[in-house]
């Protein structure tokens, strides 16, 4: 797990690590690019909503790659996300804001908060990977 | 992130380079909205050297466009790299923004 302060200047670092892990494990470029966006938007939400812009808190990011999936866990100790209210704007409704959730959902097959975490949030993002030989989708 | 403001043939060009995310977009927003406040009729955004854009960057441009609509100003983009264009397309903003391949095309139209 990497832990960084909740300052926006560290988002580029988190993006770079996400790309590097994907690249070193030969994950498809499009998947890497989409996951980079998803992780960035999720961490931005932590900064904006869970920590209300406080740059002195901590964000933990765990990245795992198996032959089956690219998984990222993002943890904070801030305000609980109101999971029921998380939804992006309609994509046809052109206005500022509300796009981040769409970018996360575009990238991930799994977008779920651990509701058992008592303090803060633990968000799990998973993209299932396709098997190289036979082009078979590994999604359970 | 670097921001350069260039005057060219009566238009203002905002030339951006690097990543646009929640760390850098507030400065882009400040520069863009300053021009909107001055009711600049044509603002062009050069994205040639932008490597990454997040939803806050997109929101910044939508806000700028909405401000310019109040005085019939035009917000034009050019030099958009493929991965940046993909985000504009995904957010359906390719339908509301004027996007051009080059600065010359943007100036001509």
């Amino acid at each position: 797990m990497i832990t960084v302060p909740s300052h926006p200047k560290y988002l580029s670092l988190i993006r770079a690590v996400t790309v590097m892990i994907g690249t070193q494990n030969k994950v498809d470029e499009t998947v890497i690019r989409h996951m980079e966006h998803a992780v960035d938007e999720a961490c931005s939400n932590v900064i904006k909503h869970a920590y209300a812009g406080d740059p002195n808190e901590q964000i933990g990011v765990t990245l795992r790659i198996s032959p089956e999936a690219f998984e990222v866990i993002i943890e904070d100790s801030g305000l609980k996300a109101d999971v029921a209210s998380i939804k992006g704007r309609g994509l046809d409704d052109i206005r500022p804001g509300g796009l981040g959730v769409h970018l996360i959902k575009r990238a991930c097959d799994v977008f779920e908060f651990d509701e058992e975490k008592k303090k803060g949030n633990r968000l799990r993002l998973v993209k299932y990977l396709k098997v190289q030989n036979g082009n078979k989708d590994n999604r359970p | 992130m670097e921001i350069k403001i260039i005057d060219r043939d009566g238009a203002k060009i905002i030339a951006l380079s690097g990543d646009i995310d929640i760390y850098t977009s507030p400065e882009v927003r400040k520069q863009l909205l300053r021009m909107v406040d001055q009711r600049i009729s044509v603002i062009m955004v050069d994205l040639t050297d932008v490597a990454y854009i997040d939803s806050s960057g997109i929101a910044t441009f939508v806000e700028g466009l909405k401000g310019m609509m109040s005085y019939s100003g035009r917000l034009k983009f050019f030099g958009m790299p493929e991965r940046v264009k993909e985000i504009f397309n995904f957010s359906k903003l390719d339908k509301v923004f004027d996007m051009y391949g080059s600065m010359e095309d943007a100036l001509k139209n």
Side-chain angles (χ1 to χ4, degrees):
Chain A
M1 179 164 81
I2 57 168
T3 304
V4 298
S6 54
H7 191 292
K9 68 184 175 186
Y10 293 105
L11 288 173
S12 58
L13 174 67
I14 294 170
R15 291 198 298 271
V17 172
T18 304
V19 170
M20 189 179 294
I21 291 212
T23 304
Q24 289 191 342
N25 286 279
K26 298 184 170 47
V27 174
D28 176 82
E29 274 180 28
T30 303
V31 172
I32 295 174
R33 198 169 64 249
H34 288 187
M35 282 303 273
E36 177 189 15
H37 268 288
V39 173
D40 178 75
E41 296 289 346
C43 290
S44 294
N45 285 341
V46 169
I47 292 170
K48 286 186 288 188
H49 303 301
Y51 291 137
D54 183 346
N56 301 309
E57 297 290 343
Q58 299 286 308
I59 304 174
V61 182
T62 304
L63 301 109
R64 292 189 199 107
I65 292 190
S66 68
E68 291 78 32
F70 193 161
E71 178 179 18
V72 183
I73 312 280
I74 297 163
E75 296 178 78
D76 66 71
S77 56
L79 296 171
K80 279 273 181 205
D82 180 2
V83 179
S85 72
I86 296 175
K87 59 175 188 223
R89 65 165 163 84
L91 283 172
D92 288 312
D93 176 17
I94 305 299
R95 61 176 169 78
L99 180 63
V101 171
H102 288 292
L103 289 169
I104 296 171
K105 289 185 174 172
R106 174 184 74 152
C108 303
D109 298 306
V110 176
F111 168 72
E112 64 182 13
F113 284 91
D114 179 354
E115 294 185 19
E116 292 185 2
K117 184 170 166 59
K118 290 196 169 59
K119 185 173 186 298
N121 303 285
R122 182 181 295 118
L123 174 64
R124 181 168 169 259
L125 304 175
V126 181
K127 173 64 185 175
Y128 294 113
L129 305 174
K130 288 182 178 172
V131 173
Q132 293 292 319
N133 296 324
N135 198 27
K136 187 181 169 188
D137 196 329
N138 255 3
R139 195 176 309 187
Chain B
M1 151 71 52
E2 242 189 89
I3 304 175
K4 287 183 190 160
I5 309 296
I6 302 159
D7 288 298
R8 178 76 185 261
D9 298 344
K12 286 271 188 193
I13 300 173
I14 305 175
L16 305 172
S17 60
D19 291 359
I20 306 176
D21 63 9
I22 63 163
Y23 182 46
T24 57
S25 63
E27 185 58 30
V28 178
R29 180 177 182 273
K30 192 170 121 187
Q31 299 286 348
L32 179 58
L33 295 189
R34 183 180 292 162
M35 290 183 191
V36 173
D37 284 345
Q38 293 167 357
R39 299 171 79 85
I40 304 287
S41 57
V42 179
I43 302 173
M44 308 204 309
V45 183
D46 180 359
L47 295 171
T48 306
D49 294 320
V50 170
Y52 181 87
I53 188 165
D54 76 346
S55 63
S56 73
I58 296 290
T60 296
F61 294 130
V62 172
E63 192 179 357
L65 177 71
K66 293 220 159 177
M68 293 182 79
M69 285 164 75
S70 67
Y71 60 90
S72 302
R74 290 188 71 192
L75 183 60
K76 302 179 179 184
F77 295 84
F78 66 89
M80 198 175 286
E82 206 50 50
R83 65 170 303 178
V84 173
K85 192 184 288 179
E86 183 205 0
I87 299 301
F88 275 75
N89 294 351
F90 176 73
S91 52
K92 301 198 174 178
L93 294 177
D94 54 323
K95 293 175 184 163
V96 294
F97 284 135
D98 292 335
M99 291 158 57
Y100 301 92
S102 67
M103 180 172 65
E104 287 70 28
D105 287 345
L107 281 167
K108 264 191 285 184
N109 288 282

